[in-house]
Amino acid sequence: MTPTAPPAQAAPEPETRPVAELLTDLQRLYRTTEEATETYNATEEKLKEQRARSKDLAEKLAKARASARDSRGDAGRLARQQYQNATALSPYVRLLLARDPQRALDQGHVIQRVAAGRAATVERLAEGEQRADALARAAKKALATQTALAARQKRQRDKVGDRLKEVQEMLSALTPDQLDALREAEDAGTAKAQRAFMASGALSGSRATRAPSHQGDKALEFAVRQIGLPYEWGAEGPDAYDCSGLTSRAWAHAGREIPRTSQEQWAELRRVPLSKLRPGDLVVYFPRATHVALYLGDGKVIQAPRPGGRVKVSPIAANPVLGAIRPDPGGRPMRGYVPPKLPEGATSGSDLGYSGDQAPDATDSR
């Protein structure tokens, strides 16, 4: 008789799992969600650019086709004139038979100019047709690229939704006591990480608040005004933000356009040592640069933390720091800098984006 295999052990219920394990899982889920969000944002930016390119090509194609139609009309008139004059005497014979040879010679110059104009018409027609054909091929290719990007964006949107549902399901299964325990564990972990980070000397040159540039000051003032607004993945304001939506919009408000996603910001902007951080600089997190915040000074940042959270002030070490970047490396520190006044409750709320009575919304209306 064949022995039966022992039943597979089910995953332990949330009530029986250690708080540290639950917190680790929740952090992992949020991290993968944000990675998917930033990937979605990058595709969204490419899709915007492709839509603009497709529109530009369509406009150029319409103009080229209109020009080709005009050239075909000119060519048609030229063909009719040539047919009507097919039986006429040649210019040389007309010159021999003319009563006034000099006048005939003058007319010959006119005839040469007309012939040159006809040749130009034919050349214009050929070039116009070629340009229209080339633009038509480019427009078709651009539309195909746009369609492929839109399909990729939909798959990525669905992936973000799936990640958010995982977070929602996990939080929904926890008791109020477990949520309180998670918050305490999170706060304790963040405080420990912050103490270690500050003691490491990483901010040794920037412990005292440095002065930002004028643009950095404007970006920071904008970010402070957004404190309390909800996090929403893919959002760039004005009523909600995700992490890179906040940083890109803040610097756009200051007159400096920067890339939309945290990965692109990390890849394209000037990197600065943490010891030289000044307010308005961007702090980038995690090995894959999937989170970003604005440096406030004194070891704190302004960030849109996670789904379910709100824009807030956090310790710089609330997440693992990858490095720092400066959108305006040529900007000179302003004189007489006064740090912005923070609204009440600017530091309240979970950096992980959940509270005891609120789970992130996994639905998406876009």
Side-chain angles (χ1 to χ4, degrees):
M1 182 175 179
T2 305
T4 57
Q9 291 185 345
E13 293 297 321
E15 303 88 47
T16 65
R17 297 177 63 193
V19 171
E21 185 178 323
L22 290 172
L23 183 57
T24 299
D25 282 354
L26 189 58
Q27 289 172 331
R28 175 185 56 79
L29 286 173
Y30 274 122
R31 188 165 61 252
T32 57
T33 298
E34 193 151 45
E35 288 177 4
T37 297
E38 289 300 276
T39 300
Y40 169 89
N41 289 340
T43 301
E44 172 68 14
E45 288 305 296
K46 290 179 182 177
L47 187 55
K48 287 179 182 177
E49 294 172 1
Q50 193 60 40
R51 284 171 178 156
R53 173 169 170 74
S54 296
K55 181 180 179 182
D56 180 61
L57 284 170
E59 291 173 352
K60 288 180 179 178
L61 178 58
K63 291 179 181 178
R65 284 174 170 167
S67 177
R69 283 196 299 271
D70 293 341
S71 296
R72 282 195 292 271
D74 292 340
R77 286 190 293 274
L78 173 60
R80 289 192 295 273
Q81 290 172 0
Q82 288 178 328
Y83 174 78
Q84 291 167 357
N85 295 331
T87 57
L89 296 176
S90 71
Y92 178 70
V93 174
R94 288 203 303 272
L95 177 61
L96 292 177
L97 299 179
R99 294 181 179 180
D100 187 347
Q102 183 59 47
R103 185 161 178 256
L105 284 171
D106 292 340
Q107 289 176 338
H109 288 302
V110 173
I111 291 171
Q112 289 177 357
R113 287 197 297 271
V114 170
R118 290 173 175 175
T121 297
V122 173
E123 183 177 357
R124 216 167 36 243
L125 173 61
E127 290 178 351
E129 295 285 3
Q130 291 174 357
R131 175 170 173 76
D133 288 344
L135 284 170
R137 289 193 297 271
K140 183 178 180 180
K141 183 178 179 181
L143 181 59
T145 301
Q146 179 177 325
T147 302
L149 282 171
R152 185 197 306 175
Q153 184 192 44
K154 182 181 183 303
R155 291 193 299 271
Q156 292 168 349
R157 182 175 64 236
D158 294 341
K159 186 175 182 180
V160 175
D162 291 341
R163 296 290 182 269
L164 287 174
K165 286 177 183 177
E166 289 184 62
V167 174
Q168 190 176 47
E169 289 170 358
M170 179 179 176
L171 293 178
S172 298
L174 299 178
T175 66
D177 288 343
Q178 286 177 311
L179 287 171
D180 289 340
L182 279 177
R183 179 181 293 281
E184 291 176 5
E186 172 203 344
D187 291 343
T190 297
K192 181 180 178 181
Q194 182 74 359
R195 286 193 300 270
F197 186 84
M198 299 302 283
S200 71
L203 297 180
S204 58
S206 59
R207 290 292 293 274
T209 300
R210 292 172 177 266
S213 66
H214 283 281
Q215 283 187 308
D217 183 49
K218 289 183 179 180
L220 198 58
E221 286 181 352
F222 178 88
V224 168
R225 291 197 298 271
Q226 313 314 306
I227 289 175
L229 290 178
Y231 177 104
E232 180 182 324
W233 69 271
E236 302 175 69
D239 301 319
Y241 296 90
D242 63 16
C243 68
S244 57
L246 175 64
T247 56
S248 60
R249 187 62 64 190
W251 271 95
H253 176 79
R256 172 76 167 94
E257 295 292 336
I258 65 174
R260 168 63 175 89
T261 70
S262 58
Q263 292 100 330
E264 291 172 322
Q265 291 170 9
W266 175 248
E268 297 182 25
L269 300 182
R270 177 76 63 84
R271 298 183 187 181
V272 294
L274 293 173
S275 60
K276 296 185 181 298
L277 266 180
R278 68 186 187 190
D281 288 346
L282 305 183
V283 181
V284 182
Y285 296 92
F286 299 109
R288 297 176 65 181
T290 50
H291 188 67
V292 64
L294 289 99
Y295 188 60
L296 176 62
D298 198 26
K300 297 177 181 177
V301 296
I302 300 176
Q303 64 166 340
R306 298 289 189 273
R310 294 182 178 276
V311 177
K312 66 185 293 288
V313 173
S314 304
I316 190 174
N319 295 295
V321 175
L322 175 62
I325 47 181
R326 180 167 295 165
D328 63 335
R332 299 177 63 86
M334 62 185 296
R335 294 181 178 180
Y337 171 65
V338 177
K341 183 178 179 181
L342 300 178
E344 185 177 353
T347 62
S348 63
S350 169
D351 288 322
L352 285 181
Y354 64 87
S355 62
D357 57 358
Q358 178 184 4
D361 185 4
T363 61
D364 178 55
S365 59
R366 285 184 293 276

